[in-house]
Structure formats: C-alpha cells, structure tokens
C-alpha cells in the first residue's frame, strides 16, 4: 500500500533508507547525505517524506529534533528470521549496536587521539566509513554536530584541525584547583 502512483524517485529513496535500516537491525539513524539536491524538489524534506510513508517507516522521537527510524512491520520478518537461525543451531551474533553505543565509541576514539600529547589536531578513524558513517554521517559531520565537545578550525576548504572543547565545568575545576593552591599557600605562609 502507499501514496498514489509509483515513482522511481520515491522507490529510490525508500530503497536507500531501507538498506540503511536493515543494516542496523531494522531501526536506527537514517540519512541521505545529498537529499536536498536529489529529492527535495520532488519529495519534500527528509523527515516530511519519512512521516508521509507510515506504510514503510515509523519515526521514534529522540532528544530535541533528533529521531530514529524503524521499518514498519519489521519485527514479524526479523522474528521469523531469528527463529530460523535458532532452529538451525546457529547463534545470532549481535551485529547492530545502538546509535548511542556507536556515538560513545566514536567520542572515546576521538578523545583518545586528541589527548595524545603528540597529536597536532588531526583525527583519523580508518574504519569510519564501514563502522560509523551510516549512523553518524561523515567524521567531519559528526564532529561538527558535537560543538559541546569538539572545536573545528578550518585550514582551507577541505582541511581542518580538531580540538577538545574545554567545558565550563573543566574550566571551573581548574580555577577551583588554582584557588585551593593559592589558599593553601596563604595558610602555610
């Protein structure tokens, strides 16, 4: 079932979104990087399109404007599949990690690299495209979407340096320590 007559654009968009969601176990983050110039004119905004296809997708609200997407009617098929695997004696590997787990893993790796004293502001995660891109976007997009944690300084159109943002909490702690030391010195003088 669905909205009206068949359209190759609609089919293409649904196929791309479905492929991403199936790779994440039927639900997760979905995105089409070049949506605006490929589909916007004919299909409208990405979220608007997803919402217009309840026969295909279910939106699950997240924090703020964030949301995850589930394939409609996915569970019946997924359950059938897993029962088949259990009957064959095969153990099901846990492939799909949650978007939150992926984000935590990515943050930990970026922080690990940036806290290395030899790091000059470069971050490189060799498995990014295979492991994180479908869920978190490109590394640069991910870093740009976390201004609370990472600061990006553009060098030219494509090159940039990354640094950790010093949170007000960290700055407060450093100031408190300096005050404590000054107080200790005053007491012992």
């Amino acid at each position: 079932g669905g909205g009206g007559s068949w359209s190759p654009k609609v089919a293409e968009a649904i196929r791309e979104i479905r492929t991403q969601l199936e790779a994440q176990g039927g639900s997760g983050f979905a995105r089409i990087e070049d949506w605006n110039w490929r589909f916007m004119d004919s299909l409208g905004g990405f979220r608007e399109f997803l919402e217009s296809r309840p026969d295909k997708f279910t939106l699950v609200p997240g924090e703020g404007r964030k949301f995850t997407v589930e394939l409609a009617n996915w569970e019946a098929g997924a359950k059938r599949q897993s029962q088949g695997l259990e009957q064959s004696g095969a153990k099901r590997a846990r492939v799909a990690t949650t978007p939150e787990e992926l984000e935590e893993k990515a943050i930990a790796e970026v922080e690990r690299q940036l806290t290395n004293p030899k790091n000059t502001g470069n971050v490189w995660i060799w498995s990014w495209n295979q492991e994180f891109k479908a869920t978190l976007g490109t590394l640069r997009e991910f870093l740009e979407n976390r201004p609370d944690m990472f600061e990006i300084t553009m060098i030219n159109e494509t090159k940039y340096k990354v640094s950790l943002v010093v949170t007000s909490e960290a700055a407060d702690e450093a100031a408190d320590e300096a005050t404590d030391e000054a107080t200790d010195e005053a007491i012992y003088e």
Side-chain angles (χ1 to χ4, degrees):
S5 60
W6 186 83
S7 148
K9 278 278 192 215
V10 169
E12 185 183 352
I14 289 173
R15 193 170 41 253
E16 286 189 37
I17 297 163
R18 175 180 280 141
T19 300
Q20 289 181 25
L21 295 173
E22 285 174 352
Q24 298 174 69
S27 70
F29 285 108
R31 58 190 324 227
I32 297 180
E33 229 168 276
D34 42 9
W35 179 272
N36 287 354
W37 69 265
R38 285 176 57 203
F39 300 110
M40 185 71 126
D41 290 342
S42 51
L43 306 180
F46 183 62
R47 183 179 191 143
E48 189 185 337
F49 173 73
L50 291 168
E51 289 171 337
S52 77
R53 297 307 303 251
D55 59 315
K56 303 285 181 195
F57 309 112
T58 304
L59 264 68
V60 179
E63 197 178 302
R65 298 224 357 99
K66 289 183 180 174
F67 60 91
T68 54
V69 185
E70 291 177 354
L71 288 169
N73 308 321
W74 172 259
E75 277 165 288
K79 281 184 188 142
R80 272 197 304 278
Q81 252 182 330
S82 68
Q83 285 166 347
L85 287 171
E86 285 160 22
Q87 287 161 358
S88 70
K91 282 194 177 174
R92 235 183 132 179
R94 183 166 177 257
V95 178
T97 50
T98 66
E100 291 78 14
E101 287 172 328
L102 273 176
E103 189 175 18
E104 283 173 25
K105 185 175 178 183
I107 288 169
E109 178 54 26
V110 173
E111 285 180 334
R112 186 190 68 75
Q113 290 185 27
L114 291 175
T115 53
N116 179 334
K118 292 182 179 154
N119 186 297
T120 57
N122 297 314
V123 172
W124 174 252
I125 300 176
W126 71 269
S127 63
W128 187 270
N129 287 348
Q130 299 81 6
E131 196 173 355
F132 301 100
K133 189 176 179 184
T135 304
L136 304 176
T138 64
L139 176 58
R140 180 169 166 185
E141 287 169 339
F142 171 71
L143 295 168
E144 287 173 340
N145 286 330
R146 296 305 308 256
D148 57 317
M149 302 189 81
F150 309 115
E151 187 175 335
I152 293 182
T153 307
M154 295 307 297
I155 294 169
N156 61 32
E157 297 237 341
T158 55
K159 282 191 164 187
Y160 58 92
K161 296 274 183 200
V162 185
S163 58
L164 289 172
V165 168
V166 177
T167 62
S168 57
E169 256 177 53
D172 289 349
E173 283 175 31
D176 287 348
E177 285 173 27
T179 306
D180 290 347
E181 286 172 24
T183 307
D184 290 346
E185 286 172 23
I187 291 170
Y188 296 112
E189 279 177 10

